[in-house]
Amino acid sequence: AQLFRAGHISMNAIHEYEERIRLGQEPPLPFTGGLVIRLCGRDSHVSEVSLRRMGRRIFPVVEDPERVQHWLWKNNNHNNGTTQQHQRPSAPIYWCVSRGQYHSSYSWRNFPSHEGCLWEGINATDKILILEADATNGDDPLSIGEASLDLTYENAAQGFRRIVERFRDEGGHTSFRTLKIYLGNSLETKRTGGGHAYTIRQQIENTKEFDVLVDSRAPVLHKILDWCQRSTLTRRRATSRHSTTTSSNKKRKQLLLFQTKSRAYFLNLRALLREYGFEIYDPMDARYLVEDEETPPEECTALRRTLVDMLSEEESKIVECENVNMELNERLRKKFLNLPRIVHSETTAETVTAVESMILKGDINARNTAVIVDSEEGVASLENTLRQSSGFVQQRKHHWTAASWMDETELDVELHHQTAEEEEKARETTSGLEIICSSSIHDDVLRQVRLWARMGFTAEEIQYEVDAQFEPVLHQSRACQTEVVQAIELSTKEDVAQESLPGTQKV
């Protein structure tokens, strides 16, 4: 009976421990070498990527454990080398703080504050406490949203204060420096009671609550611009081989297709890419190639003229000989639908579904297609579909996995070499679906900021370097977004005024 009772108590203790792990109430297992503490709000796609890359060297703080419990199965299975789907959680990988309770000391009771959480800087005596805040919105890889819908600036600042206090009071550490990084939309605008507007960047510059601000929009736009230039460069080279006349050698507009359901995304990206010499069209604009009563003549004429200029010399001669309008329309339609295409829907799941459908149906040219997603699961699903479809090769496989306890400096060097080799191979590839994952891009930038801090650079130097790298595209994006918002507001007012006219109201 005593043995049975001891076994029963032991089993209950195990179940209670596992339940505390699921609820985010257990600190991580003892370790040394440094821990990245990241506030995530309700959810964080970039933290899911970081867990796969860094293992237990990162400790996310979430608000709703129900939304992230799948992290336990995925990361514990990966670290233990097993593929069992219902394995019990063996180690804590996240902490839970209720929404709006970041300021409470009770929320951080038993939170890790030992010396093993501090990273080593330029020497053994240089200790760094690395704190990060992920204020990005889910399913918004370009950060078009005007406000953070998840982790707020105030909650992040309060949480960082309590964590630093715990390290100094409970942990007894006094000789360490902090690196507080804020990842979010730097253009997010707030207003004072008097009606004055200010951005997150201005707030950080005034309050000094964070050391480094990483804009979540600029790195993704930078990646999209890089793909646009590469995809159109291939087309320009192919066209130039067929062009011999003087008129064909003149500078043409670089045309792209953007397939999305979001009006704000379409207008913002079209306005931005236009500043860099690209013209964005909706795939449904193909109807402008057929003149009818519903098609605006000016739209039809402009698009047809642009596409006719893109025809090769051989194609132009064939069209002139045939002199058949229907044949010309069909050729122009195929030319239009084969333009480089960017695909994005309102959610990652919808984007993946749409692209997978087009891949299996054969409606898109993988060589000229880029997909914008924001989660690791979306990338994994697309890569699985590509493996099952012949003729489709992704440009670059994302590096989700790495040794769990590898030093971050060694990890960065390893990934850098792998990326360089794979990018070189991608340049030689004649076909490939480009998967632009915002969470992977954000994790790369955060890792670089951490490495700069450990190399001894100050927060001011790091902020200057980050701004110098992304400020040009961010400046253009800020101007374009202001223009788009004003255009949408004007259009909305006109629609309301039109509906208010007598005889125009719906019955």
Side-chain angles (χ1 to χ4, degrees), residues 80-215:
N80 294 335
T82 179
T83 58
Q84 296 178 4
Q85 297 297 320
H86 300 290
Q87 182 190 22
R88 290 178 173 178
S90 58
I93 62 173
Y94 59 79
W95 186 264
C96 180
V97 173
S98 301
R99 190 171 185 82
Q101 296 299 315
Y102 290 89
H103 66 283
S104 174
S105 300
Y106 178 80
S107 301
W108 306 100
R109 190 179 61 175
N110 297 329
F111 192 80
S113 58
H114 54 84
E115 189 176 0
C117 299
L118 301 177
W119 291 81
E120 184 175 318
I122 55 178
N123 52 52
T125 60
D126 181 24
K127 299 297 182 179
I128 311 173
L129 173 61
I130 299 181
L131 305 174
E132 298 176 351
D134 176 17
T136 57
N137 295 331
D139 294 318
D140 188 11
L142 294 186
S143 300
I144 298 298
E146 291 295 324
S148 175
L149 304 177
D150 198 347
L151 181 68
T152 64
Y153 177 96
E154 291 73 19
N155 284 338
Q158 294 168 9
F160 282 180
R161 286 177 179 271
R162 298 292 87 79
I163 294 174
V164 173
E165 289 175 359
R166 180 167 178 80
F167 269 82
R168 287 176 177 167
D169 300 338
E170 302 292 335
H173 310 294
T174 55
S175 58
F176 68 90
R177 57 190 176 101
T178 60
L179 175 66
K180 296 180 286 187
I181 309 173
Y182 184 92
L183 171 66
N185 182 8
S186 64
L187 304 180
E188 179 183 345
T189 304
K190 300 181 179 181
R191 290 189 178 275
T192 64
H196 301 281
Y198 62 93
T199 64
I200 286 292
R201 177 179 292 274
Q202 293 171 337
Q203 186 174 8
I204 291 178
E205 291 175 351
N206 292 331
T207 62
K208 306 298 182 182
E209 290 284 358
F210 301 94
D211 301 315
V212 178
L213 169 62
V214 177
D215 185 82

Side-chain angles (χ1 to χ4, degrees), residues 257-325:
L257 300 180
F258 186 22
Q259 181 174 331
T260 181
K261 296 180 181 179
S262 172
R263 181 65 173 166
Y265 261 66
F266 183 85
L267 294 178
N268 274 276
L269 197 59
R270 183 177 67 175
L272 174 66
L273 294 182
R274 187 173 290 169
E275 298 293 329
Y276 290 88
F278 301 98
E279 191 66 32
I280 292 290
Y281 286 94
D282 189 304
M284 294 297 290
D285 288 339
R287 67 186 181 89
Y288 290 158
L289 299 175
V290 181
E291 297 182 6
D292 54 31
E293 2 180 278
E294 298 183 357
T295 305
E298 61 278 3
E299 294 284 354
C300 178
T301 303
L303 182 56
R304 285 169 63 87
R305 185 186 301 114
T306 303
L307 291 173
V308 168
D309 289 342
M310 293 177 59
L311 292 176
S312 65
E313 188 174 355
E314 290 76 6
E315 289 175 322
S316 300
K317 289 180 179 179
I318 293 175
V319 170
E320 291 176 0
C321 295
E322 292 171 348
N323 196 25
V324 179
N325 193 48

